[in-house]
Amino acid sequence: MSRIDDDVAIGVVGYLMFKKVVIEGANTISSPLTYGFPAITGFLGSFHAMSRKMADDEQLSGVSLGGVLLACHDCQPQMYRANTYNNYTFNQTRNPIKKDGKTASIIEEGKCRLVMTFIVEVLSEESLTNKQQAHAMQKTKQWLQQQRMAGGSVQSMARFEPVQFFGKNDIGDVIPQLLPAFILMDAQDDFDEIIGKVQQDNPDATPLDALIDVCALHHIPETQKNGDSKWLTMSRKTGHGWLVPMPVGYQGISECYDAGVMQNVRNPEYPSQYVEAVYTLGKWVYPQRLNSVGGDNDIANAFWRYHYDAEQSLYLVTQNQDF
């Protein structure tokens, strides 16, 4: 994620940390197939909007924001079930009140309460002065509390030093400040391995079959020496850590139409295209599993960025820096 109207190559000169941001009413439905934690694009979009505000600020006009590291301290989907044998249903709301003062119809959506810490890359041609760093922390804190994030509202931040600036070479210093939390990582390698195992059992299986199998628990009977049967619970995720299915973007399934051709789109001033969601596996990782830049588990690989592949019509968020 970088300023798209800038022809000059810029690099990472530091990082902004937004500590323990409490978000109420975030969208917990991340795709047609998944719910729980909001879609990654919900957070990247917020910081992209913040980056555009920087372009209009006199002191930060040469600065923009790049990749975002997501560390989740707490996530509470607002759900209810009458007993353990029922499915969960989302708690629905009837707000805001309509213009005539009457309550609105039920809005069918899923919401959650989040406590998140974000580390955001700061991009510029030159290093920021101390004055620019202080101004950036002040303005971004203000903007963060003014705008929506993953569909929710920012209610509060950490009591002490809620926004901090770290130099380019000090990224390793943020790791202790992420505790206790889990960082969302791309688990494509684990997914490839699971797909291979599923296709060994069933050569006709597709990656979608493997994704669904990851979400399933298999109860298998095992006969004991005394003749009794014991039920074992097996999962494809065993040995791979805390894996979760998640959307990582969209695949175009039609030609890209000129602006104004498609009806009922959100932004008719831009070209539009029919798409379908792209899924993979993510993994929640404890911060201490990450190392400073250059290590085996380089923290620099934990930042999510936009990637567009025009040839394959792919609109992705990825942690792959090779694109």
Side-chain angles (χ1 to χ4, degrees):
M1 182 173 59
S2 60
R3 189 170 299 163
I4 57 177
D5 57 351
D6 195 342
D7 295 330
V8 180
I10 56 178
V12 177
V13 296
Y15 301 89
L16 280 170
M17 181 175 75
F18 302 89
K19 193 172 181 180
K20 292 190 176 179
V21 181
V22 178
I23 306 171
E24 291 283 357
N27 185 4
T28 191
I29 302 175
S30 55
S31 76
L33 298 180
T34 56
Y35 80 95
F37 188 74
I40 300 171
T41 50
F43 302 107
L44 265 61
S46 297
F47 287 105
H48 183 67
M50 188 181 294
S51 181
R52 294 170 71 96
K53 292 178 181 177
M54 282 183 162
D56 297 329
D57 188 277
E58 185 177 349
Q59 295 189 45
L60 302 175
S61 58
V63 182
S64 59
L65 301 178
V68 181
L69 180 150
L70 305 175
C72 182
H73 300 274
D74 188 30
C75 177
Q76 297 180 10
Q78 298 174 3
M79 304 184 300
Y80 171 79
R81 64 174 175 176
N83 56 62
T84 55
Y85 299 102
N86 282 34
N87 293 325
Y88 280 103
T89 58
F90 288 118
N91 298 341
Q92 306 296 311
T93 60
R94 301 180 68 181
N95 56 27
I97 296 175
K98 296 193 293 187
K99 293 180 180 178
D100 57 4
K102 298 180 180 178
T103 52
S105 304
I106 291 178
I107 301 172
E108 296 189 4
E109 57 186 359
K111 296 182 178 180
C112 64
R113 179 184 185 274
L114 295 168
V115 182
M116 300 283 301
T117 291
F118 305 99
I119 312 295
V120 187
E121 293 175 334
V122 179
L123 308 176
S124 179
E125 293 181 65
E126 300 177 350
S127 299
L128 272 60
T129 64
N130 292 337
K131 184 178 179 181
Q132 284 180 309
Q133 294 176 14
H135 185 69
M137 288 188 287
Q138 177 193 352
K139 298 299 292 186
T140 54
K141 179 185 176 184
Q142 175 186 339
W143 292 331
L144 187 76
Q145 296 178 93
Q146 291 176 339
Q147 64 188 40
R148 309 286 284 185
M149 179 158 286
S153 303
V154 176
Q155 298 293 309
S156 63
M157 301 177 70
R159 184 176 180 182
F160 301 104
E161 298 185 297
V163 182
Q164 300 177 42
F165 185 91
F166 293 86
K168 178 182 177 181
N169 299 320
D170 299 329
I171 181 61
D173 295 342
V174 307
I175 295 176
Q177 300 212 43
L178 297 176
L179 297 170
F182 288 91
I183 297 173
L184 185 59
M185 299 292 295
D186 186 358
Q188 185 60 46
D189 292 341
D190 295 273
F191 193 26
D192 292 339
E193 185 178 337
I194 291 173
I195 292 173
K197 292 179 179 177
V198 172
Q199 290 180 338
Q200 283 180 359
D201 299 336
N202 178 12
D204 297 329
T206 65
L208 180 59
D209 295 324
L211 185 73
I212 295 173
D213 203 18
V214 167
C215 305
L217 293 175
H218 300 276
H219 299 282
I220 302 172
E222 182 182 75
T223 303
Q224 304 295 301
K225 293 181 179 178
N226 59 2
D228 294 339
S229 294
K230 179 181 179 181
W231 288 88
L232 302 178
T233 302
M234 310 291 289
S235 171
R236 290 286 184 184
K237 296 189 290 186
T238 302
H240 291 277
W242 186 0
L243 296 179
V244 289
M246 64 177 189
V248 287
Y250 303 94
Q251 164 82 66
I253 56 175
S254 73
E255 62 177 293
C256 187
Y257 298 99
D258 293 335
V261 174
M262 288 182 65
Q263 297 182 353
N264 304 321
V265 296
R266 177 179 293 181
N267 300 111
E269 66 271 29
Y270 296 110
S272 302
Q273 186 175 20
Y274 289 103
V275 298
E276 61 181 10
V278 176
Y279 298 91
T280 186
L281 290 179
K283 180 187 287 188
W284 291 106
V285 176
Y286 209 53
Q288 290 179 323
R289 297 283 301 274
L290 302 178
N291 300 325
S292 300
V293 176
D296 293 335
N297 297 304
D298 192 338
I299 191 173
N301 296 326
F303 288 83
W304 293 94
R305 304 174 183 84
Y306 289 126
H307 173 70
Y308 172 55
D309 187 330
E311 186 175 341
Q312 300 186 57
S313 295
L314 285 171
Y315 306 83
L316 301 176
V317 289
T318 177
Q319 292 178 327
N320 191 341
Q321 301 186 63
D322 297 331
F323 287 125

